[in-house]
């Protein structure tokens, strides 16, 4: 399944790409499918069934909210995040929902949003089935699967997912193929990724859209450094980014740029983004919401502490190089393993984001393709086996701090690779396959179900 870098970096809403963005997209697609079938106006009831991980951690991940917003016709990249609570309250108070902002139906959340906590659909851990009724008769039913990073496949598409492809001029199925193509055409990884993106749009459009992605990431950092208070959900987790920002800002300029003090800023950037994500704010899936702070934090590190216009060129070009390189690496994980924590644990989220960020940082610091591959391999190798065990099903503990660890590891991985000549024993393809096998072998209670790990062993918060 060939994909674009803009499918890996999508503007969305928190707290989860698999459990919030995906279900919103699926519910919106369902009402559009109804309209296409000329059945929307006949519908007087809709029922949505959530299965597996979507049911077990759905409430904490905002899946219920996402489904209702999707049924209204809202999209993750355009929804007014500040209006969500009002719309939810209105639906619950009036017990009505306006499908696709067009057809009013009666909707009772406890009756029409059904959680099947002990049942998994066979295709994927994140499954949901939408049903439309008229006068008690089933009009239309379709199942959807949120497969990670906001990607959604219908039941029909899922059966043929390996055949769903966009023809790209320089397609690749493995890191080995990617490196061979780059060598053949004398390109960097970013240049090859750019050549593929130009199949869809002009180079200037690509660079501008990538810059827009960075601007949303940076806005998430800035907002996260301002907002205070407790995060929603009941754990009473206090936002820390704003206080940390004030403390770090008091440092003399010469101290900010020295040694480990820089890592405090990197941690701040990641905290800020993922506190915004936990608060259902606007973020960029990169490649998921749960890991949305890693890549922005590493880019911010590069922008504030590394980039030199005389040495590195225009910042806009460098951000494009970072995201194109990171995107190419992310595609390999998406194609050959998974970026869904419900499938492979948090190694598929923080681990993949760390690998992508490592590669991007090595690229903008002048790394060769071999050094970039080495950086990506190091970034994942030391996240293998990372479980997904959110307390209370919320993308807060340990998820927010894990983003700081992922960002710091990414910087270290890039630095290690750049100190070498690119030679390494373990190929990136082997690490990706190992990650996939580890995810298959991992017990389901450690894969975004909140049935194991910290989710059941932590002291009550």
């Amino acid at each position: 399944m060939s994909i674009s870098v803009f499918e890996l970096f999508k503007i969305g809403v928190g707290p989860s790409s698999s459990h919030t963005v995906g279900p919103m997209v699926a519910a919106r697609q369902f009402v559009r499918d109804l309209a296409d079938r000329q059945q929307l106006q006949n519908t007087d009831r809709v029922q949505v069934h959530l299965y597996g991980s979507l049911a077990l951690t759905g409430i904490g991940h905002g899946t219920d909210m996402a489904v209702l917003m999707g049924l209204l016709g809202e999209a993750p990249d355009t929804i007014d995040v500040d209006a969500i609570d009002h719309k939810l309250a209105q639906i619950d108070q009036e017990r009505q929902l306006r499908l696709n902002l067009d057809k009013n139906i009666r909707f009772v959340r406890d009756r029409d949003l059904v959680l099947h906590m002990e049942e998994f659909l066979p295709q994927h851990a994140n499954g949901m089935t939408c049903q439309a009724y008229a006068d008690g008769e089933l009009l239309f039913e379709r199942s959807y699967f949120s497969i990670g990073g906001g990607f959604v496949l219908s039941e029909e598409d899922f059966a043929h997912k390996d055949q769903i492809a966009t023809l790209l001029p320089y397609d690749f199925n493995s890191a080995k193929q990617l490196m061979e193509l780059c060598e053949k055409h004398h390109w960097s990884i970013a240049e090859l990724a750019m050549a593929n993106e130009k199949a869809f749009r002009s180079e200037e459009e690509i660079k501008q859209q990538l810059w827009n992605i960075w601007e949303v990431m940076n806005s998430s950092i800035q907002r996260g450094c301002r907002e205070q208070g407790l995060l929603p959900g009941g754990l009473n987790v206090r936002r820390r980014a704003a206080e940390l920002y004030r403390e770090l800002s008091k440092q003399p300029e010469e101290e900010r740029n020295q040694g480990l003090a820089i890592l405090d800023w990197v941690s701040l950037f990641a905290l800020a983004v993922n506190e915004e994500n936990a608060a259902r704010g606007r973020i960029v899936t990169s490649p998921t919401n749960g890991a949305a702070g890693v890549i922005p934090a590493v880019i911010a590190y590069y922008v504030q502490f590394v980039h030199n216009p005389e040495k590195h060129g225009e910042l806009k070009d460098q951000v494009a190089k970072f995201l194109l390189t990171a995107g190419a690496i992310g595609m390999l994980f998406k194609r050959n393993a998974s970026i869904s924590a419900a499938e492979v644990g948090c190694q598929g989220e923080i681990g993949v984001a760390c690998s992508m960020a490592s590669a991007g940082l090595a690229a903008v610091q002048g790394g060769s393709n071999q050094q970039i591959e080495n950086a990506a391999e190091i970034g994942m190798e030391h996240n293998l086996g990372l479980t997904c065990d959110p307390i209370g099903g919320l993308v807060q503990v340990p998820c927010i701090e894990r983003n700081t660890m992922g960002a710091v590891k990414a910087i270290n991985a890039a630095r290690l690779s750049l100190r070498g000549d690119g030679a390494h024993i373990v190929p990136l393809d082997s690490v990706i396959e190992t990650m996939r096998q580890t995810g298959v072998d991992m017990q389901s209670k450690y894969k975004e179900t909140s049935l194991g790990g910290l989710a059941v062993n932590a002291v009550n918060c």
Side-chain angles (χ1 to χ4, degrees), residues 434-454:
T434 301
M435 188 269 263
R436 187 194 67 79
Q437 292 176 6
T438 302
V440 170
D441 292 341
M442 190 182 291
Q443 293 185 41
S444 62
K445 68 180 181 179
Y446 297 117
K447 295 192 283 190
E448 208 166 8
T449 60
S450 288
L451 296 177
L454 289 175

Side-chain angles (χ1 to χ4, degrees), residues 2 165-171 196 199-200:
S2 301
T166 301
L167 293 177
L168 296 175
Y170 307 100
D171 202 4
N196 279 334
F200 306 107

Side-chain angles (χ1 to χ4, degrees), residues 10 12-13 16-26 66 76 146 149-150 152 285 289:
K10 297 191 291 288
V13 59
S16 170
S17 48
S18 296
H19 291 62
T20 314
V21 175
M24 190 183 299
V25 169
S146 181
V152 171
T285 61
N289 285 33

Side-chain angles (χ1 to χ4, degrees), residues 82-285:
D82 294 323
I84 291 175
D85 287 341
H86 171 73
K87 291 178 180 179
L88 290 174
Q90 188 174 30
I91 292 170
D92 288 337
Q93 181 179 356
E94 298 177 358
R95 294 199 164 193
Q96 284 191 344
L97 186 150
R98 194 176 181 190
L99 285 179
N100 206 31
L101 297 179
D102 185 27
K103 172 68 188 297
N104 276 324
I105 64 168
R106 183 163 176 78
F107 190 92
V108 181
R109 195 192 296 215
D110 292 342
R111 179 196 69 181
D112 296 322
L113 191 63
V114 185
L115 307 180
H116 300 270
M117 294 190 177
E118 295 183 1
E119 185 177 354
F120 287 71
L121 295 182
Q123 294 91 335
H124 195 277
N126 291 330
M128 58 187 281
T129 300
C130 302
Q131 300 170 325
Y133 293 88
D135 298 323
E137 296 291 327
L138 180 65
L139 280 179
F140 178 55
E141 174 182 274
R142 180 160 285 169
S143 293
Y144 302 88
F145 302 93
S146 181
I147 62 173
F151 288 84
V152 171
L153 294 176
S154 68
E155 187 169 9
E156 295 82 358
D157 289 338
F158 196 93
H160 306 286
K161 64 179 181 177
D162 293 334
Q163 285 76 48
I164 300 173
T166 301
L167 293 177
L168 296 175
Y170 307 100
D171 202 4
F172 53 90
N173 293 307
S174 65
K176 183 175 184 292
Q177 288 183 353
L178 172 61
M179 301 295 282
E180 288 174 348
L181 279 169
C182 288
E183 183 176 0
K184 176 181 177 180
H185 296 282
H186 306 287
W187 283 338
S188 68
I189 292 173
E191 287 170 336
L192 184 139
M194 174 65 82
N196 279 334
E197 291 298 326
K198 286 166 71 172
F200 306 107
R201 50 187 69 84
S202 71
E203 183 170 336
E204 187 54 41
E205 288 176 313
I206 295 164
K207 288 184 178 181
Q208 186 57 51
Q209 288 190 43
L210 290 170
W211 184 255
N212 292 344
I213 290 292
W214 161 240
E215 286 187 321
V216 175
M217 289 177 172
N218 193 39
S219 293
S220 300
I221 294 174
Q222 300 305 318
R223 182 175 171 84
C225 287
R226 294 194 304 268
E227 296 297 313
Q228 302 181 68
L230 299 178
L231 293 172
L235 288 182
N236 296 321
V237 174
R238 181 176 59 86
R239 283 181 179 252
R240 289 180 285 172
E243 182 178 346
L244 179 58
Y245 174 71
R246 286 194 298 271
E247 291 180 4
L248 294 179
S249 297
K250 295 176 183 177
Q251 293 177 324
E253 189 68 32
E254 60 273 12
E255 291 184 16
R256 292 189 200 182
N257 300 327
Q258 291 183 357
L260 294 178
I262 293 176
L263 295 186
D264 291 337
W265 285 93
V266 174
S267 295
L268 166 65
F269 302 147
L271 280 176
V273 173
N274 280 84
E275 286 177 355
E276 274 298 288
N277 180 62
R280 298 180 180 176
R282 177 79 64 218
I283 52 85
V284 175
T285 61

